[in-house]
Amino acid sequence: MTTDLMPNRFRPGETDLPAREADLVARRDAVLGASYRLQYRRPVHFVRGQGMWLYDPDGRAYLDFYNNVPSLGHAHPEVNAAMTEQAGRISANTRYLEPRLVDYAERLIATFPEAMDRVVFTCTGSESNDLALRIARHVSGNDGVIVSSYAYHGTSAAVAAVSPNLGDAVRLSPSVRMVTLPGPAGIGQEQAGAHFEAQVKAAIHDLQRRGIGVAALLFDSIFSSDGVCIDPPGFIAGGADAVRAAGGLVIADEVQPGFGRTGEHMWGFQRHGIVPDLATLGKPMGNGFPIGAVVGRRDPMESFGTTARYSNTFAGNTVGIATAEAVLTILQRDDIPGNALAMGQRLRQGLESLATSQEMIGEIRNAGLFCGVDIGRPDATPLQRRKAALDVVNAMRDDGVLISTTGANEDTLKIRPPLICAGDHVDRFLETLEGALKRVASAV
Amino acid sequence: MTTDLMPNRFRPGETDLPAREADLVARRDAVLGASYRLQYRRPVHFVRGQGMWLYDPDGRAYLDFYNNVPSLGHAHPEVNAAMTEQAGRISANTRYLEPRLVDYAERLIATFPEAMDRVVFTCTGSESNDLALRIARHVSGNDGVIVSSYAYHGTSAAVAAVSPNLGDAVRLSPSVRMVTLPGPAGIGQEQAGAHFEAQVKAAIHDLQRRGIGVAALLFDSIFSSDGVCIDPPGFIAGGADAVRAAGGLVIADEVQPGFGRTGEHMWGFQRHGIVPDLATLGKPMGNGFPIGAVVGRRDPMESFGTTARYSNTFAGNTVGIATAEAVLTILQRDDIPGNALAMGQRLRQGLESLATSQEMIGEIRNAGLFCGVDIGRPDATPLQRRKAALDVVNAMRDDGVLISTTGANEDTLKIRPPLICAGDHVDRFLETLEGALKRVASAV
């Protein structure tokens, strides 16, 4: 079955738009074309952002519980001031000596386990995962990559080819193997680690008997596109060990869980008690400025760097570095991960409380401020669940709160607000969700 | 023979550095490691840039005749103001409606031939080439890519695998075929087109008989890493036709020639009188802000976009768009390509005049402000030429002018100043080059 890969989107002809938006959509389609999708049945149109809020041209405010790039909030004055100040001085590239690049690299690495002491900068999370795969294939001499069933790791050719989430239209690499996760497979928490390990070992065996070998286990430690599959902490460890024993590298895709989103830790892999060989960074690193990185253990990083050079024109330029430095300073100074933990708890408690009266709320899963909520009445079919989740998301959009869906069946609410959100934002989100659930339930 | 792939670089232990720089290099190596190379035997250290000039911590000025990212000059106030203003408002992503994205897309497309009417934004030139290859392979159903002998197209796995310039340590794709260019092959201008076409046809034949088929001819229209192989204009056309006839796409890598560098045209392919299927953009597009694009004909772009979705978190965000919009405005308003043409002529005339007295100057090739100058006495061996070019580049660095080397033997001076350079900058460059040539010649 090929499902609609982006159900929460605008479909021309399905919704009547106001003239202003209809004109803009028509002009947009004429130049940007089919690759560009708009979110929501009725697209949103924003001209200003501040903190947790986005504003449409009429001044209507939307509470942002979805965007995980501006972790420190939209249009952050301190971050922007750092970017502006550096841009007025110099945007030096990494082939010239410049102290700021080194200062930030040292500070960034200090947030990782001691064994991970090298960093290479990129411009996007896709570039980070692409480089990590290059490193893993180079040092292992193997080609095989193991990912979760519904993984998404980015948009370059090599990374798209190990992203089953992209669907049948994007050809998978002959060298990728998918493993089911314990939650979606209906495996209980006690058996979760053993299930994952057995899956990974079967994948390794299959790769080896075909002469492909295993280069890497590549995973997002909150498995966001699989539906936010996070528990129990540690279930990845046995599978990771098996990959290492087979000569592959363990790559933590920290593009979404990284930089404190999971609350208790700076990095998502720490929640699972493992130290990967490589970690890939992206989205919130510059609060919107295009910057990413691969942080890793010395041996694979140096083995790759010594023989295959890597250079990336924009990556590590001082403007991106100054911006990322401001982000890291604020994250640490204001204990943003601590806020993510506290607000994640408040969100979870509110959702659990709401679940007692709203039967459409199924399982609730969160690590800090990355939260998934399964939607659908207990007896609903997959299609009904999917439609219900989509209805809820669009009802909330109409009520001025932004979230979306995730998971193989896209019936899980994907909730990931900027990490600066406060108690009243959480409360507003919960109230809006309650209203949306009631409206959707009564419409069925 | 495997040559040193980046001869113009610092080698630890080869040069004594002042304590300040030695400390910084040591700290840098400890965190960034072997992937990061520093240019010049004695690395440069910059803390400020303005227009054509870069400044070291002691306030010494270096004339920049090398950096082709800040085409409008370093720390451009108008470009930075546009970036800052937009960052203070909103950094919207492309899944929300936002007029600025559409405005810029329309303006950008208007600079292309009419048949190229679709654009998809990326963050880097590598992402642009990677996406172009995805599109070409998707729509052709073939895998083969034809590039020049010493091509460099970027750093992602897929693009590095079609970049023979990266050397033996980076495995080439089994589906890539290299073709020799007329200049390096010693073919005269009259036979250049026929030579290129015959080479491309042979590559197509080989790809077809192996069942690989041809997806694309991918070329940088100034063939910068091959040593700036630009003449005669039009020599690419026959090869391009042959690729189309075989079902492949013609992809112009405009990352270096684009945005007016070649002087007479906005885009390098225009110099060859062809209209490609796809053009890939990067480096100078945001004068340093990480932004790129693929611009192309409707059919391949829509065929790809409709089935395989493409989304890129940072690409097309309004801050990058506002920055790129300011760059395009200035390029057009101030006729920057016209300046590149005029200054390119002044540079060429100066070099030709210098060549009458300096026997180390060989062939001079330029299109606007991308210029290659072969270095070495007529009777020199390849190794002697290589060393002479490196000596000249480093002597000029010591005299405060930045250039580097290129070409299969790295014996061609690579000269590509910001496009705002004025007559006195060109004169200063020529004087410094003359002094460096004399010093190097007398040291032999």
Side-chain angles (χ1 to χ4, degrees), chain A residues 70-293:
Chain A
S71 265
L72 302 182
H74 293 277
H76 196 286
E78 196 174 339
V79 174
N80 288 346
M83 175 184 75
T84 297
E85 195 273 338
Q86 184 63 48
R89 256 196 292 158
I90 188 172
S91 178
N93 71 63
T94 60
R95 288 188 166 168
Y96 301 153
L97 281 172
E98 205 290 320
R100 195 157 203 170
L101 169 71
V102 180
D103 291 343
Y104 176 70
E106 290 173 346
R107 284 188 57 192
L108 181 64
I109 283 174
T111 69
F112 279 84
E114 204 178 342
M116 301 175 76
D117 66 354
R118 287 288 189 281
V119 58
V120 170
F121 292 101
T122 67
C123 293
T124 69
S126 291
E127 285 195 343
S128 301
N129 282 326
D130 192 288
L131 173 59
L133 289 183
R134 285 187 68 192
I135 295 171
R137 285 171 167 154
H138 183 91
V139 303
S140 70
N142 298 328
D143 204 50
V145 177
I146 300 171
V147 300
S148 59
S149 315
Y150 208 62
Y152 175 75
H153 292 292
T155 198
S156 75
V159 169
V162 300
S163 292
N165 176 278
L166 291 172
D168 292 350
V170 176
R171 208 183 299 168
L172 286 174
S173 163
S175 305
V176 69
R177 294 294 177 276
M178 283 87 85
V179 294
T180 62
L181 295 172
I187 306 293
Q189 301 235 341
E190 321 72 44
Q191 298 303 314
H195 168 85
F196 187 73
E197 184 177 334
Q199 287 271 317
V200 170
K201 282 184 169 165
I204 293 170
H205 182 64
D206 185 65
L207 287 167
Q208 287 176 334
R209 66 190 299 214
R210 289 172 206 268
I212 299 169
V214 60
L217 169 67
L218 172 62
F219 68 96
D220 158 10
S221 61
I222 48 176
F223 296 98
S224 54
S225 55
D226 290 275
V228 193
C229 305
I230 52 174
D231 290 318
F235 83 79
I236 297 169
D241 288 345
V243 165
R244 284 219 182 91
L249 299 194
V250 175
I251 306 173
D253 178 344
E254 291 287 339
V255 172
Q256 297 207 72
F259 287 102
R261 177 156 292 275
T262 61
E264 281 178 279
H265 303 285
M266 189 69 151
W267 307 109
F269 63 78
Q270 295 174 305
R271 206 173 152 268
H272 285 279
I274 61 174
V275 178
D277 299 294
L278 305 173
T280 57
L281 281 48
K283 293 190 192 296
M285 188 168 175
N287 208 52
F289 194 97
I291 182 169

Side-chain angles (χ1 to χ4, degrees), chain A residues 27 157 165 283 309 313, chain B residues 27 103 130 165 283 309 313:
Chain A
R27 284 177 54 207
N165 176 278
K283 293 190 192 296
R309 65 180 161 162
T313 299
Chain B
R27 285 175 55 208
D103 291 343
D130 193 287
N165 176 279
K283 294 191 192 294
R309 63 178 164 165
T313 299

Side-chain angles (χ1 to χ4, degrees), chain B residues 84-144:
Chain B
T84 297
E85 195 273 339
Q86 184 63 49
R89 256 198 291 160
I90 188 173
S91 178
N93 70 61
T94 60
R95 286 187 168 171
Y96 301 152
L97 281 172
E98 205 289 321
R100 195 156 202 170
L101 169 71
V102 180
D103 291 343
Y104 177 69
E106 290 172 345
R107 283 188 58 191
L108 181 64
I109 283 174
T111 69
F112 279 84
E114 203 178 342
M116 302 176 77
D117 66 353
R118 287 288 189 280
V119 57
V120 170
F121 292 101
T122 67
C123 292
T124 68
S126 291
E127 285 194 341
S128 301
N129 282 325
D130 193 287
L131 173 59
L133 288 184
R134 286 187 67 194
I135 295 171
R137 285 171 169 154
H138 184 91
V139 303
S140 69
N142 298 328
D143 204 49

